[in-house]
Amino acid sequence: MEHQKHPNIRSSFPRDVYPDIRENQETAFVFIEKHPDEINILELPTGTGKTAVGYAYLKTRAKISGGHCIYVAPTKTLVEQVSAMHPEFTAVYGRSEYDCFYYPDEKLKADEVPCLQLMDCPHRVDQETGETMEPGARPCPYYAAKFRARRSELVVCTAAFYFFAQWYQQLWEKPAGVVVDEAHDIAKAIRQCLSFD
């Protein structure tokens, strides 16, 4: 991989949310800048500003490459927190978080419906155009979110969404940067996505 020098990551630090860079965040920035093309693991206690470091890193990577940068969180609650703090991120969740409109009389989630087999679903969102299969139909919330995420430079998503969208479908050809928050919980999050028969 060709070495690519990072500009100063501090220039992307979200001072509107966090007024000052803490000492441990400065240490993290120096470390990342010294190892720009490597996988970096940062272990910091809760409440010390890991999210701000991840945000600044991804914003910097987006400036360098113009590619997709993904912030992966283990839970919907953490995705919502990051999205609320940094609204320029497009938030997207796993299928179990979205209602299905195909069966209007039943309260089903997208993961309870065999979407790929419902070729006549008027709510399906074409992933190339963003249009519904039937003009004027209410867009499927899951496929609409997936369409937005595919086109967004900055995405925050659950581990479940990243697991399926990237590993199985390669939603993003090659992300410019990925931050995995609470990485110690990633195996648990992925196990919850799988079923054993």
Side-chain angles (χ1 to χ4, degrees):
M1 179 180 209
E2 181 182 327
H3 178 76
Q4 191 173 32
K5 182 165 175 18
H6 282 274
N8 185 334
I9 297 174
R10 287 160 219 71
S11 67
S12 297
F13 189 80
R15 292 191 184 276
D16 57 326
V17 179
Y18 313 98
D20 299 311
I21 296 176
R22 298 175 182 170
E23 184 178 339
N24 63 305
Q25 291 169 323
E26 178 62 29
T27 301
F29 292 145
V30 169
F31 182 82
I32 293 167
E33 288 167 351
K34 285 182 179 178
H35 305 90
D37 297 323
E38 298 175 24
I39 294 173
N40 296 301
I41 298 173
L42 304 175
E43 184 176 356
L44 301 166
T46 300
T48 56
K50 295 183 300 288
T51 301
V53 172
Y55 171 89
Y57 170 76
L58 292 177
K59 286 284 283 188
T60 302
R61 294 296 298 174
K63 285 178 194 174
I64 292 171
S65 69
H68 305 287
C69 292
I70 321 300
Y71 192 104
V72 180
T75 65
K76 178 183 174 184
T77 302
L78 284 173
V79 169
E80 289 171 345
Q81 179 183 346
V82 171
S83 179
M85 290 170 24
H86 309 290
E88 64 270 37
F89 276 81
T90 297
V92 63
Y93 310 99
R95 291 180 59 203
S96 65
E97 300 298 331
Y98 296 98
D99 293 329
C100 175
F101 299 150
Y102 187 77
Y103 300 104
D105 297 332
E106 300 179 42
K107 300 257 186 223
L108 297 173
K109 296 293 187 184
D111 69 331
E112 299 173 302
V113 177
C115 293
L116 295 176
Q117 296 174 358
L118 301 175
M119 301 311 288
D120 64 335
C121 180
H123 308 285
R124 183 185 293 274
V125 175
D126 184 303
Q127 293 299 294
E128 297 303 318
T129 67
E131 300 294 323
T132 55
M133 294 302 166
E134 182 179 296
R138 189 163 60 157
C140 165
Y142 173 70
Y143 280 107
K146 191 173 170 182
F147 174 79
R148 287 189 305 274
R150 174 177 265 167
R151 279 149 185 76
S152 296
E153 187 175 69
L154 297 168
V155 174
V156 57
C157 64
T158 57
F161 181 85
Y162 188 77
F163 176 65
F164 285 106
Q166 190 59 21
W167 293 351
Y168 287 123
Q169 302 165 353
Q170 293 193 322
L171 187 68
W172 304 283
E173 188 174 321
K174 184 178 179 188
V178 176
V179 168
V180 179
D181 194 355
E182 305 291 341
H184 63 282
D185 284 337
I186 198 76
K188 178 181 171 185
I190 291 170
R191 278 194 305 272
Q192 290 173 342
C193 298
L194 303 174
S195 64
F196 300 92
D197 296 318

